Amino acid sequence: MKIADDTFRSARKRLLKMHFESGVGHIGGNLSCLDALLILHHEYIGASERFILSKGHSAGALYVALWSRGLVSDAQLAQFHRDDTLLAGHPPAAGLPGIRFATGSLGHGLSLAAGTALALKLKRETGMVYCLTSDGEWQEGATWEALIFAAHHRLHNLTILVDHNNLQGFGRTADVASMSPLGVKLGGFDVALQTVDGHDPEAIRAALEVPGNTCRVIVLETRKGHGVSFMQDRMEWHYLPLNEQDYRRALLEIEAQ
């Protein structure tokens, strides 16, 4: 069943509220991947599927996606990033539904996903493994090694999504360590590659529906801070928390969309 348009809006508002109340940054990269996370968790991830958030600093978007399905409560979201919480700044190793691995260090999530997919394949179990990576992670050797592994073992039960918002902690990915054009390099492996608008629900769905006999890689062309004009494509929103003025301004923009 397709996710309602209003769910996207309410999830963005809840994400901003959670980050505002906690005083925590990383909002821009959460907003860039939120659309894909909502579609995955509402329409594709069931009891047999696994999801691994390799870009762990976007844990807020994952928590809100789980909240939008009723798997995390408002009371839990209110404890985001606080002492003794399960909702840490990066996903925990245990304690929350649908989260199987702690992914604090960038660059390791795809290895975990590829190993999980191979285990399911060897055990002849059904279910897709979905892994969301950042574009900055593709500057790390371990990520490429995991892709080589996945392609070699023809892990048809693995779908890799890349949040390609072109920005990372120290600037534009093209300036820090250029991988451009990233899609061309990923397509050099024996994978089923697609590049789509990461904020177009129908395009995301169409990419997720493409069958294949090897692992799929979907490059999501996204915008950091999507949906909030003063955050969009701005590197500082990789880090900045929201003050009250910016929070109210952002809510008004989302309400108007």
Side-chain angles (χ1 to χ4, degrees):
M1 184 175 179
K2 287 186 178 180
I3 184 172
D5 289 343
D6 192 56
T7 303
F8 291 100
R9 184 182 301 108
S10 63
R12 288 192 187 97
K13 289 167 61 179
R14 192 63 185 85
L15 177 71
L16 290 172
K17 182 176 188 287
M18 183 178 71
H19 277 264
F20 169 64
E21 291 178 343
S22 65
V24 173
H26 283 309
I27 303 165
N30 278 267
L31 287 170
S32 66
C33 66
L34 183 59
D35 291 337
L37 287 180
L38 290 169
I39 290 170
L40 281 173
H41 282 83
H42 278 264
E43 301 179 22
Y44 291 90
I45 295 176
S48 299
E49 284 69 41
R50 280 81 170 168
F51 175 77
I52 296 163
L53 180 69
S54 191
K55 53 172 293 185
H57 53 294
S58 287
L62 176 56
Y63 300 151
V64 168
L66 294 173
W67 166 84
S68 72
R69 285 194 57 202
L71 299 174
V72 168
S73 69
D74 271 306
Q76 287 176 301
L77 291 187
Q79 295 302 310
F80 174 57
H81 222 281
R82 304 195 188 281
D83 291 343
D84 299 320
T85 183
L86 281 175
L87 276 64
H90 288 241
L96 289 175
I99 300 179
R100 290 173 171 80
F101 300 104
T103 49
S105 299
L106 290 173
H108 300 298
L110 185 54
S111 296
L112 295 167
T116 301
L118 180 62
L120 292 175
K121 185 177 178 181
L122 292 174
K123 292 165 69 177
R124 301 182 185 278
E125 293 185 13
T126 60
M128 183 69 67
V129 178
Y130 297 96
C131 180
L132 178 68
T133 74
S134 64
D135 46 8
E137 284 181 90
W138 291 93
Q139 296 164 355
E140 301 195 35
T143 306
W144 289 101
E145 291 173 28
L147 182 63
I148 292 167
F149 179 92
H152 174 75
H153 288 283
R154 303 192 70 77
L155 299 179
H156 62 277
N157 58 344
L158 174 62
T159 295
I160 304 162
L161 301 102
V162 184
D163 183 10
H164 194 14
N165 62 32
N166 295 291
L167 285 165
Q168 60 189 99
F170 296 104
R172 304 199 73 80
T173 53
D175 296 331
V176 175
S178 180
M179 304 294 293
S180 183
L182 181 58
V184 171
K185 292 177 173 62
L186 293 170
F189 294 80
D190 187 12
V191 298
L193 175 75
Q194 299 172 80
T195 299
V196 302
D197 182 344
H199 301 303
D200 180 342
E202 290 303 326
I204 296 170
R205 292 183 184 105
L208 290 168
E209 293 291 341
V210 173
N213 58 3
T214 187
C215 73
R216 296 182 294 185
V217 178
I218 303 172
V219 178
L220 303 168
E221 296 290 356
T222 61
R223 293 178 296 281
K224 206 174 196 82
H226 173 69
V228 181
S229 62
F230 60 88
M231 292 184 188
Q232 284 190 170
D233 204 35
R234 299 290 296 271
M235 190 273 287
E236 59 265 34
W237 287 101
H238 188 89
Y239 297 110
L240 287 178
L242 281 163
N243 60 37
E244 185 165 2
Q245 181 180 357
D246 284 340
Y247 173 56
R248 302 299 175 193
R249 180 182 170 195
L251 284 183
L252 288 174
E253 284 197 18
I254 290 170
E255 284 285 2
Q257 290 167 10

